[in-house]
Amino acid sequence: GNASWVDPTAIDDDWKVSGNDIYTDTINQVGIGGTASARFHIWASGTAISDGLKMTSHENTSSDWYMYMPSGDHLTFRDDGTDVMTFEDGSGNVGIGTNSPGAKLEINGTAETDELRVSGNVGVGTTSPSHALHVDAPSGQGVVRFQQNGDTQFLLGPNGGVNVGSSIDYAPVDGLYVNDELLVNTTT
């Protein structure tokens, strides 16, 4: 059907109109599409984006954000045409850049932070890490690199070689390259 504007103050004096604002200071709960069971409750009849909330910038940048619940009752945030974050129902998993997170936090894409604390094992390239840091690199890629101020300090290469303390960007095949001192089985 077609919607039409009805002045809420003509129906119920609990509602107030002031300029472009409509508000109430006496009703404790508001329901849209059904009876409210919380302070603000929206009943969605489907799982499409149009069944959720849409927020549009006052800047007229044509950038819209959506919050909706696709099938499976997951809560999803969308920036225009891309789902960017999903809270998975049942598991409590959170996905950034993925709609089906397989861990408490799964990030599909680049992540940057000043500090990250993890309790338990961390897996890079694996979904079942067996050590504090478990890296499973694809064939042909370096496995681990530690840098300081942009200079490589340690490199475990794709060929099993190790480079320590050199700014060169490779490690010898199944060998060890150490730039500077190498102390083996020493005591002080």
Side-chain angles (χ1 to χ4, degrees):
N2 294 328
S4 61
W5 171 255
V6 174
D7 184 349
T9 60
I11 300 170
D12 187 335
D13 62 359
D14 289 337
W15 290 95
K16 313 282 189 270
V17 176
S18 175
N20 291 328
D21 297 331
I22 300 172
Y23 64 95
T24 179
D25 52 14
T26 58
I27 298 175
N28 290 324
Q29 297 177 329
V30 176
I32 297 176
T35 303
S37 63
R39 187 70 76 177
F40 184 65
H41 189 164
I42 298 174
W43 291 76
S45 60
T47 59
I49 294 168
S50 59
D51 293 315
L53 293 175
K54 177 180 179 180
M55 292 153 275
T56 301
S57 169
H58 70 282
E59 301 286 329
N60 283 333
T61 60
S62 299
S63 182
D64 298 323
W65 279 87
Y66 300 87
M67 183 173 67
Y68 71 108
M69 297 174 70
S71 59
D73 284 341
H74 309 315
L75 178 60
T76 300
F77 290 88
R78 173 178 280 234
D79 179 15
D80 286 326
T82 305
D83 290 347
V84 294
M85 180 179 259
T86 298
F87 295 87
E88 193 172 60
D89 184 47
S91 70
N93 293 348
V94 176
I96 299 174
T98 178
N99 289 345
S100 54
K104 288 298 175 192
L105 175 61
E106 181 175 336
I107 299 173
N108 183 10
T110 302
E112 183 177 331
T113 182
D114 291 333
E115 184 175 331
L116 177 65
R117 296 178 188 200
V118 177
S119 176
N121 296 342
V122 175
V124 178
T126 178
T127 57
S128 54
S130 59
H131 295 79
L133 177 60
H134 183 157
V135 179
D136 187 2
S139 178
Q141 287 188 0
V143 178
V144 176
R145 174 187 302 226
F146 294 105
Q147 291 184 307
Q148 184 176 27
N149 296 324
D151 292 329
T152 298
Q153 302 299 312
F154 178 89
L155 174 67
L156 177 57
N159 50 22
V162 177
N163 174 348
V164 179
S166 171
S167 61
I168 60 174
D169 200 27
Y170 64 89
V173 175
D174 293 325
L176 173 65
Y177 177 86
V178 178
N179 184 31
D180 209 359
E181 276 184 55
L182 174 64
L183 303 175
V184 179
N185 197 20
T186 63
T187 59
T188 56

